[in-house]
Amino acid sequence: MAAEIVERRESPKPYYLIADSMINFYFRYVMPGASLINSGKGQIYYKKKVRENLHEFMGKTFEEMAKAYILSNCGTKKVPVFLTDIVEYQNSMKLEKEIKSIEIDLLGLDGKKMVLAGECKFKAEKFGKEDLENFLEKLKYLPATNLKIMLFSLSGFTDYVMQNAKDCTLVKLEEMYK
């Protein structure tokens, strides 16, 4: 993925960020450990500082990969809806005595209308029953109907998910680049 400069206008003054996962990885992990890496202690640095956080870092990158997959395939058999944008969705709802936090990794919009919801799991375990049930529960709180549902997984899907996610499109990492 080539470096991309993205203009952000949410604040009164536009600001710019570099939207490239390799550059982000470099500044987050490589540069802080450059002295150790250059002195031949890269393995130790990796084990102590990088390995435990790698899935967290890659989770966001995986979401960006899924977003690119959706946008490049929108309007085809793979993604049979029209989209104008894909955003992250976060909201909190008060339910009786508790506050429920709703986070959707990928929310596809056609104008202001919600038409697609996606969940991404970048983990060693397969996307399982609990993952599916938690995601479907969140969807109940969205002000939308007839959403196209897409589930993305690094490690695939359990038999339970493949049998019970009939209205969902299941996409494994290797299928994203066919």
Side-chain angles (χ1 to χ4, degrees):
M1 178 182 281
E4 174 185 354
I5 297 179
V6 179
E7 182 178 356
R8 301 289 181 178
R9 292 190 184 266
E10 290 88 24
S11 66
K13 285 179 129 181
Y15 64 95
Y16 299 90
L17 63 93
I18 298 174
D20 183 305
S21 58
M22 294 303 289
I23 291 173
N24 290 335
F25 182 86
Y26 174 81
F27 283 110
R28 184 166 178 183
Y29 295 112
V30 178
M31 193 176 80
S35 295
L36 277 174
I37 294 166
N38 290 333
S39 69
K41 304 284 188 201
Q43 276 192 331
I44 292 169
Y45 176 72
Y46 171 78
K47 288 178 184 174
K48 294 274 187 188
K49 295 292 184 179
V50 178
R51 182 172 55 190
E52 64 191 43
N53 299 310
L54 199 52
H55 274 295
E56 177 188 328
F57 174 82
M58 282 303 300
K60 260 309 181 215
T61 301
F62 190 56
E63 287 176 18
E64 288 299 318
M65 293 163 59
K67 181 178 180 178
Y69 174 86
I70 292 168
L71 289 172
S72 67
N73 289 292
C74 104
T76 70
K77 287 183 182 181
K78 291 180 180 181
V79 185
V81 292
F82 178 77
L83 300 169
T84 57
D85 198 8
I86 299 175
V87 298
E88 290 180 29
Y89 178 85
Q90 295 181 352
N91 199 358
S92 296
M93 307 194 83
K94 188 171 183 179
L95 303 172
E96 296 175 16
K97 295 181 182 180
E98 69 174 306
I99 305 257
K100 183 156 184 84
S101 178
I102 311 294
E103 292 183 24
I104 307 292
D105 294 336
L106 305 166
L107 187 63
L109 304 173
D110 179 1
K112 292 185 180 184
K113 181 181 176 190
M114 298 175 185
V115 295
L116 180 142
E119 179 80 348
C120 302
K121 294 293 180 193
F122 190 88
K123 59 182 186 174
E125 301 84 29
K126 291 181 176 185
F127 194 111
K129 177 182 180 179
E130 187 175 333
D131 298 318
L132 177 63
E133 290 174 352
N134 287 339
F135 183 63
L136 294 177
E137 178 66 23
K138 290 186 226 177
L139 296 182
K140 293 178 184 177
Y141 300 100
L142 289 180
T145 57
N146 299 323
L147 286 171
K148 172 73 177 152
I149 300 169
M150 299 189 75
L151 307 175
F152 295 86
S153 175
L154 167 69
S155 303
F157 302 90
T158 63
D159 290 339
Y160 176 87
V161 172
M162 289 189 289
Q163 293 167 3
N164 292 287
K166 293 180 176 78
D167 295 330
C168 303
T169 300
L170 309 179
V171 183
K172 294 186 283 188
L173 174 65
E174 60 268 14
E175 294 168 348
M176 293 169 72
Y177 295 97
K178 286 185 178 179

